Amino acid sequence: MRHGKIIAALSAAALALAGLAGCGSGEPTTPSTDAPVDGPSGQLEIFSWWTAGSEANGLEALVGVLGEKYPNIEFVNNGAATGGGSGKDVLQTRMAGGQPPDSFQVHAGAEAQDYITAGQLQDVSNLYDEFGLNNAFPQDLVDLLTKDGKIYTIPSNVHRSNVIWADVKALEKAGLSTTDAYYDSMESFIAALETAKAAGFEAPLSMGMTWTQVHLLETVLMADLTPVQYNGLFDGTTDWTGAEVKKALEDFGKLMSYTNADRDSLDWEEALAIALDQKAVFNVMGDWVPGALDARNLVDGTDYLWAPSPGTDGVYGFLADSFGLTTGGPNPDAGKAWLDVISSADGQTAFNKVKGSIPARTDIDLSSFSDYQQSASKSFKNDVIVGSIQHGAAATIAQGNAVNAAVSKFTTSPMAEANLATLQAELAAAFA
Ligand code: GAL
């Protein structure tokens, strides 16, 4: 019910996001094992920020499938060292200088449209025919990768941004029970942070560098604005200078005051580790977190708990990764092989099992995936979908950069009322 009502009120771009999960077709299939083919050889160079920890493990699983099917390709990831797409300016500099890799990681939505408009991606619609992908993905997801009827990238996975993770031992230390009630609203969550603080946690909400702060901010916007208002931030129908955004920024400022002072030097996995080491209680981060939890052999429900981030129950903060072929990349045959593997049921199964995301393909049987992933897949189908800002679904690259600059300025100066007003004005300017 909720889904239908919301769709009616959304803009065209937001509509594509809102309808995302509903359009998968195919029946579940068991992935087939592809036999090696002689295929292309030489180096395949990609750009991805899956370079550390659990994300590197996910990429490695995918590269394993590549090696089985295309044994003559030498895989190289000359990617960014930091997560969340925060290092993609390196890629842009390279492409502007005429030195593109063969393929690169790109978020579905506004970010993909930027690269398409810049002429940096090739039309790969023919590969959808060749690899049999025309019914493999939700049509609304493919629409986010399409311009003027041509499809430019192939999605590998779908992630949810608005998730909170809590360490069970830390909850106990903080005198907090394992109830989900803290997450009902921003107010109840802030009360829980106060309780943890009184119990000796100096910074109960663990936090990392600027992009993770922007990530937190988008989840607070999702909490304090209705989905229609949130989606309206990107098509001009919601005023960034309005009272709802002001309240969200105040809440963001309050949450930041419960975070660790060394945050700007930490990427997401290091920030998460603070909670897992019981030096904080909570971490708000996308669902690439399960990959890191699995790598530590931590058990869902015993060692950690998760829930939609405070105030966002029923809302799914959407983002998806995809890959395409660059214009002028050195080894297009190898690039094509990469897209074959990424889009295959084998590739999507191997990768997503490690990464924590759900496959972008709708024909993969999830029964051997984790409970978290099965539940995320249900939420993707049933919740109201809104697009991530940090992860390029709703915001263009320029808008994302401007948001990062404004948030960094705010969180590195004493977070006073006056600075909140500046933050709001700068965010409004970013989307003007
Ligand atoms: C996102 C990306 C995810 C994950 C995350 C953390 O931008 O879409 O797949 O890599 O960053 O680095």
Side-chain angles (χ1 to χ4, degrees), residues 247-391:
K247 154 91 166 74
L249 298 185
E250 284 164 3
D251 283 339
F252 172 65
K254 282 185 202 151
L255 294 186
M256 287 301 299
S257 74
Y258 293 96
T259 67
N260 40 297
D262 64 347
R263 57 194 174 234
D264 287 317
S265 62
L266 308 174
D267 207 346
W268 71 268
E269 201 161 343
E270 295 157 321
L272 171 72
I274 298 174
L276 302 181
D277 292 341
Q278 290 98 46
K279 299 210 167 62
V281 184
F282 304 103
N283 182 253
V284 172
M285 192 35 60
D287 62 8
W288 35 95
V289 162
L293 299 166
D294 290 349
R296 286 188 172 220
N297 292 320
L298 297 176
V299 179
D300 185 355
T302 305
D303 299 313
Y304 65 90
L305 303 171
W306 59 269
S309 60
T312 68
D313 194 22
V315 175
Y316 186 101
F318 160 85
L319 63 126
D321 296 294
S322 71
F323 288 81
L325 288 182
T326 53
T327 309
N331 193 348
D333 290 341
K336 185 176 154 186
W338 176 240
L339 297 189
D340 178 22
V341 168
I342 281 200
S343 61
S344 68
D346 280 350
Q348 297 223 339
T349 301
F351 170 69
N352 287 293
K353 275 196 166 174
V354 181
K355 183 74 164 38
S357 35
I358 49 178
R361 289 183 73 117
T362 54
D363 59 355
I364 291 176
D365 179 1
L366 296 185
S367 57
S368 67
F369 281 61
S370 70
D371 289 349
Y372 173 79
Q373 284 164 310
Q374 295 186 35
S375 144
S377 166
K378 280 197 198 99
S379 298
F380 184 49
K381 290 198 180 83
N382 299 326
D383 288 2
V384 181
I385 308 283
V386 297
S388 165
I389 297 172
Q390 172 59 34
H391 308 282

Side-chain angles (χ1 to χ4, degrees), residues 49-50 55 83-85 105 107 159 211 268 288 319 321 355 391:
W49 54 89
W50 296 329
E55 310 211 277
Q105 182 179 357
H107 289 125
H159 270 305
W211 78 261
W268 71 268
W288 35 95
L319 63 126
D321 296 294
K355 183 74 164 38
H391 308 282

Side-chain angles (χ1 to χ4, degrees), residues 100-132:
D102 296 301
S103 182
F104 63 93
Q105 182 179 357
V106 50
H107 289 125
E111 185 180 311
Q113 296 295 327
D114 274 344
Y115 290 110
I116 299 169
T117 306
Q120 291 164 327
L121 285 167
Q122 293 186 42
D123 173 10
V124 293
S125 312
N126 61 323
L127 297 184
Y128 275 72
D129 297 332
E130 187 175 333
F131 300 151

Side-chain angles (χ1 to χ4, degrees), residues 167-179 182 191-201 204 278 280-282:
D167 183 89
V168 169
K169 287 200 199 83
L171 281 170
E172 281 163 11
K173 251 169 91 176
L176 291 165
S177 70
T178 51
T179 173
Y182 310 124
L193 291 171
E194 270 305 309
T195 304
K197 204 159 180 181
F201 283 88
Q278 290 98 46
V281 184
F282 304 103

Side-chain angles (χ1 to χ4, degrees), residues 10-11 14 226-240:
L10 296 182
S11 67
T226 66
V228 170
Q229 288 170 335
Y230 179 90
N231 284 323
L233 292 170
F234 312 104
D235 65 9
T237 56
T238 299
D239 185 358
W240 277 93

